[in-house]
């Protein structure tokens, strides 16, 4: 199995890049999607979150209240650590389960919002693709698609893997500062490269 990690900061266009790979028939395992599934109404981990943080962080329909939790983890670093301790092992287990379902594909994209070079996923990833843009572009894109203000977005960027660290880890960098059409063209070019060169080198645990 050959696994390509796809990462990028908020507003970089990582989700659109994942869509571009998907349109080319590449299987996508998205940690953001998995996190949403695990914290949907009445999922077991939501009950654990309520026990740890209080029922105030659960919506009326039994899902994680993302807005309240986002505010908490940005105000209290220890809360972020506690939440990650609950979520990350469950997300990893589900990601591995999904990756195992795509062993017949030439390669699979693993979309990771926060990639740590020495983290749990480093042992199963073969290549790292970074979708990159400047911070001003990140802020403007997120403002257009959400109700967050500039300072909230800056706080989110500060909590993510630094841009310089992402770029240092990258095997391939896709600059995404223009339009979706150009992004898709760059993804298609990279896809052709991977189809020709992907040689499985790691085993899913």
């Amino acid at each position: 199995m050959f696994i390509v990690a796809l990462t990028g900061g908020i507003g970089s266009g990582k989700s659109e890049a994942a869509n571009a790979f998907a349109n080319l028939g590449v299987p996508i395992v998205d940690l953001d999607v998995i996190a949403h599934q695990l914290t949907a109404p009445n999922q077991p981990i939501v009950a654990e979150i309520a026990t740890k943080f209080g029922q105030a962080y659960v919506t009326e329909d039994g899902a994680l209240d993302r807005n309240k939790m986002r505010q908490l983890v940005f105000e209290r670093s220890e809360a972020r650590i506690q939440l990650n301790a609950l979520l990350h092992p469950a997300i990893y287990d589900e990601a591995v389960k999904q990756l195992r379902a795509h062993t017949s594909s030439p390669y699979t994209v693993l979309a990771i919002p926060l990639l740590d070079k020495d983290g749990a996923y480093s042992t199963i990833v073969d290549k790292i693709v970074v979708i990159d843009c400047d911070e001003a572009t990140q802020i403007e894109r997120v403002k257009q698609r959400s109700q967050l203000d500039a300072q909230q977005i800056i706080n989110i960027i500060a909590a993510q893997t630094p841009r310089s660290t992402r770029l240092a880890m990258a095997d391939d960098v896709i600059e995404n500062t223009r339009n979706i059409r150009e992004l898709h063209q760059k993804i298609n070019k990279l896809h052709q490269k991977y189809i020709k060169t992907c040689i499985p080198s790691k085993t899913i645990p």
Side-chain angles (χ1 to χ4, degrees):
M1 175 178 289
F2 195 95
I3 300 172
V4 175
L6 176 66
T7 192
I10 186 172
S12 65
K14 176 176 61 66
S15 295
E16 187 58 43
N19 290 339
F21 277 111
N23 289 340
L24 293 168
V26 181
I28 308 295
V29 175
D30 192 321
L31 300 195
D32 275 340
V33 172
I34 292 173
H36 277 77
Q37 292 171 342
L38 292 175
T39 55
N42 303 316
Q43 291 298 308
I45 204 163
V46 178
E48 296 182 44
I49 291 172
T51 299
K52 176 70 71 174
F53 298 98
Q55 196 63 36
Y57 294 95
V58 178
T59 63
E60 291 184 2
D61 64 352
L64 172 66
D65 190 319
R66 296 182 175 278
N67 291 330
K68 288 184 179 179
M69 185 57 73
R70 183 187 299 114
Q71 182 177 354
L72 177 67
V73 298
F74 283 124
E75 291 176 351
R76 293 172 47 199
S77 59
E78 67 271 19
R80 182 186 303 115
I81 294 171
Q82 291 172 339
L83 180 65
N84 288 344
L86 286 175
L87 287 177
H88 284 188
I91 292 172
Y92 179 85
D93 289 346
E94 179 60 26
V96 167
K97 178 181 177 181
Q98 292 186 20
L99 287 168
R100 286 174 177 156
H102 300 301
T103 54
S104 61
S105 178
Y107 73 98
T108 299
V109 166
L110 179 63
I112 306 179
L114 300 174
L115 180 60
D116 184 347
K117 184 177 181 180
D118 299 317
Y121 298 95
S122 63
T123 61
I124 62 174
V125 165
D126 296 280
K127 292 283 186 180
I128 297 174
V129 177
V130 171
I131 309 300
D132 185 57
C133 67
D134 58 89
E135 185 173 304
T137 300
Q138 289 180 270
I139 294 170
E140 186 58 32
R141 285 174 177 167
V142 178
K143 284 172 65 177
Q144 290 177 2
R145 76 185 191 202
S146 73
Q147 297 180 341
L148 300 175
D149 61 35
Q151 188 56 55
Q152 289 174 309
I153 300 167
I154 290 171
N155 290 343
I156 293 172
I157 292 173
Q160 294 187 328
T161 304
R163 182 185 183 192
S164 59
T165 302
R166 285 196 301 269
L167 293 174
M169 290 190 297
D171 296 294
D172 293 289
V173 177
I174 294 181
E175 182 183 347
N176 181 30
T177 56
R178 298 183 64 182
N179 54 58
I180 291 178
R181 180 180 178 183
E182 182 179 90
L183 174 63
H184 280 243
Q185 290 173 340
K186 291 179 177 179
I187 295 294
N188 184 62
K189 183 177 180 180
L190 194 58
H191 171 67
Q192 298 304 320
K193 170 186 170 181
Y194 287 158
I195 287 294
K196 294 176 182 177
T197 62
C198 286
I199 300 175
S201 62
K202 296 184 180 180
T203 302
I204 299 295

